[in-house]
Every structure is written in C-alpha cells, then in structure tokens.
Amino acid sequence: MRWLQYAKRVAWMILFIISLINESEASVTFTPSISIGERYNDNLLFSGTDKKSDFATLISPAGIFTYEGKHLTLSCGYEGTGEFYLYNKDFNRYSQNASISLFTQTFKELDVRLTESVTYTPELPAFSFDTVRESNEGIQLARTDTLRNRATLAVSYNWFPEVNMALSYTNIITSYEAPALQDSIVHDISLQMRYQWSARTKWMTSYRNGATIYDRGNDIISHQFSIGTGHQMNNTLLLNGNLGIVLYEGESRELTADMNIIKSYESGNVTLGYTRGAGTGGGLAATAAINQNLSGRITEKLGNNTSAYLQLSY
C-alpha cells in the first residue's frame, strides 16, 4: 500500500538524522496520550435537502518521541483517530497520521525547521476545526481512501529584536483511490514579516504564492496578500486578527479573514474564532472554493495529565 511506502521513507529519514546526531548533552522522552470525546453533527452529509444528524464517539490514541539536544530537537509522532457513529455505522472510520519534525538553531538569530506528515484516511473530512488535522477545504467528497503527504521547510531570522522575517516552502501531495477525483500536488511559498510594535502589540504582513497542479484539468495559480495584528489586552485576554486578499490568475479575487479571541483563566481558557478561507476545489474540481467557519471552545484542566473541552462549530 502507498501509505506503507511513505511510512518506510519517514522511518529511514529518522534513522539517518539520528545517525548524524553527535551531542554530549541531550534528553529523550516518550509521551503517550489518549483522547476520548463525543460529537454531534446536525448535517452529516453536508446536504441542503437530505439532512441527517448523528452522534459520534471519538477515540484518538497518540504518542510522541522527542530528542532534545543543545542545538537540535527531533520529534516523531503518531496519532490515530477513530470515529464511531451511533446510527450511521457506514460512516465509521479510523484515520492515521505519522509525523516528524526537525528543529535546529545553528546561529542565535536563525531558526530552521523541517516537518513532514503523512495522513491516511478512508474519508478526508470536509472541515477540521483542529489546525493539526487535515481537511478538504470545506468540500464533502464521496467516501474513498485518501493519502496526503505534507512537507515543509521553514527558515526564520531575527534581523533586529523587534523584526522577524520568515520564509517557508510547503509541498502537499493528495492522492485519492476514486478515479473520479483529481489527485493534486501543491507548491506553496510564503514570506512573512513580524514587527513587535510594543510589549503587548505585534503586526504581521505576508505574501503567499501557491500553485495547485492537477493530474487532469487546469492548474490553479494564486497570490495571497495579508496583514494582521495581535494585541495582549491584559494578562488574560488576547486578540488576533488577519485580513487578506487572494488573487487567482485568470479567474477571480476573494477576501480572507482569520480572527480569534482567547480568554485565559487559572484552570483553562475560552476561545472564539472565525475563519474565511479560499481553497482550490478539494479534488472535486479544479476551481477556487470558499469556506467559512465559526467556532467556540472551552478548555478546562482537570489534573496534571487530564483536560476536557467543549467545542461548538458552524
């Protein structure tokens, strides 16, 4: 299977990196975890006419191995996500994700990070309100085995104490078993500048160039410009906002937005966020797509190793 080939490649990368490590002071940790949750979906099929609601039990076992040295940090992780529905048993699925991250700070002002993740799932979800998990740009596809490989090289440099510049390249390969869906390769280059205006306020501006190459149909080239700010109102309240515009070559232009409010307290936090993003068809068609989501989340720490959260999303 294709996901096994990717897993073998990641394993060889890990062994190669470990063989190059030569540090006298380092720590090694392994952290296992499990997450259990319950979710209610009022429109399981994402249909305007045939709405179905259902409850799903979510079970996510995970583990992360971390090697932390003086100049290098290496982490390797695995997470599985099982979704088990109360009435619609045909929607049950178990998705798997393996990841590797390499971080090094060769010079005091220069950071280099290399990450790769491989996701294999029987059905790529239309939405993911967790930024770590993969989704399909708000588009619900027919159930089919899907493989997605995401690799990123990011470099950041502190020109001055207040100014940071970051350059990154991301490569995303998405492959579907269903022949009706379009496999794709994404090349994404991003340049971002962050300016620390004051102890409580920072400004960000960025440019992103994306090229989505389909195995059939026309490719999509996009240019995205954005500006944003983050402001710490007080010790417990943080505001973040980002506005931008995406230009599609030969097509159209779309506005994007990303805003959130985070209120922290002694045993947890409350988050309210809104996102408006522009995608590239999600494998269903080689055309631009718009997706929006509004979510609220309450997280409560129950103990040293246990926490709980309640999330509502639209």
Side-chain angles (χ1 to χ4, degrees):
M1 300 175 68
R2 284 175 296 179
W3 72 273
L4 284 176
Q5 296 176 355
Y6 280 98
K8 289 179 180 178
R9 187 175 73 175
V10 172
W12 278 112
M13 286 177 58
I14 295 172
L15 292 175
F16 175 73
I17 292 170
I18 292 176
S19 68
L20 297 178
I21 296 174
N22 183 24
E23 295 188 285
S24 58
E25 298 180 6
S27 63
V28 177
T29 59
F30 176 72
T31 307
S33 65
I34 186 168
S35 172
I36 301 174
E38 194 71 19
R39 183 176 66 200
Y40 172 75
N41 191 330
D42 70 341
N43 191 359
L44 192 59
L45 303 177
F46 292 90
S47 172
T49 56
D50 183 22
K51 291 188 176 182
K52 288 186 178 181
S53 61
D54 205 345
F55 291 90
T57 299
L58 310 178
I59 302 177
S60 300
I64 183 168
F65 164 89
T66 303
Y67 173 97
E68 188 170 358
K70 185 177 181 181
H71 301 292
L72 182 144
T73 300
L74 171 68
S75 61
C76 309
Y78 169 83
E79 182 182 29
T81 303
E83 301 182 29
F84 307 98
Y85 289 88
L86 181 61
Y87 304 112
N88 298 275
K89 307 295 185 182
D90 291 342
F91 287 85
N92 291 353
R93 62 175 178 255
Y94 185 78
S95 305
Q96 302 183 74
N97 175 270
S99 63
I100 179 173
S101 175
L102 175 66
F103 172 78
T104 180
Q105 193 175 36
T106 307
F107 304 100
K108 184 177 180 180
E109 298 85 4
L110 180 66
D111 295 341
V112 179
R113 186 180 300 272
L114 175 64
T115 60
E116 181 166 10
S117 68
V118 181
T119 299
Y120 182 77
T121 175
E123 182 182 354
L124 195 63
F127 290 98
S128 175
F129 297 97
D130 184 336
T131 56
V132 177
R133 293 183 173 89
E134 296 285 351
S135 63
N136 204 50
E137 303 176 358
I139 298 176
Q140 180 66 37
L141 302 178
R143 188 183 181 99
T144 182
D145 289 344
T146 305
L147 177 69
R148 175 169 289 176
N149 184 84
R150 180 188 295 268
T152 300
L153 174 62
V155 179
S156 66
Y157 185 77
N158 294 320
W159 289 97
F160 305 101
E162 302 86 4
V163 179
N164 175 271
M165 297 287 292
L167 176 67
S168 68
Y169 166 75
T170 300
N171 176 268
I172 306 171
I173 301 174
T174 304
S175 179
Y176 303 98
E177 286 289 343
L181 299 178
Q182 298 202 57
D183 297 347
S184 65
I185 299 176
V186 175
H187 302 281
D188 186 280
I189 298 175
S190 174
L191 178 63
Q192 182 184 75
M193 183 181 74
R194 186 183 71 232
Y195 178 66
Q196 194 70 38
W197 175 266
S198 67
R200 292 182 177 270
T201 305
K202 62 182 178 181
W203 290 91
M204 297 85 68
T205 183
S206 66
Y207 165 75
R208 172 171 290 172
N209 173 252
T212 304
I213 302 172
Y214 291 95
D215 57 352
R216 307 183 305 273
N218 298 326
D219 302 335
I220 295 180
I221 308 297
S222 64
H223 306 272
Q224 181 174 359
F225 304 87
S226 65
I227 185 171
T229 185
H231 181 68
Q232 189 83 43
M233 297 288 293
N234 51 50
N235 292 335
T236 63
L237 184 61
L238 175 64
L239 307 179
N240 292 303
N242 189 295
L243 293 174
I245 184 171
V246 180
L247 307 176
Y248 294 96
E249 291 188 1
E251 287 192 31
S252 60
R253 63 189 65 181
E254 300 290 347
L255 293 176
T256 62
D258 188 359
M259 293 170 277
N260 63 72
I261 303 172
I262 304 173
K263 174 66 176 179
S264 302
Y265 51 94
E266 185 176 357
S267 60
N269 62 74
V270 179
T271 302
L272 178 65
Y274 167 76
T275 301
R276 186 182 196 273
T280 55
L284 187 64
T287 185
I290 301 300
N291 60 83
Q292 301 182 78
N293 65 69
L294 176 66
S295 66
R297 176 172 174 141
I298 302 174
T299 303
E300 185 74 22
K301 187 176 181 180
L302 304 179
N304 292 334
N305 301 310
T306 307
S307 62
Y309 72 88
L310 173 65
Q311 179 168 302
L312 298 175
S313 304
Y314 176 77

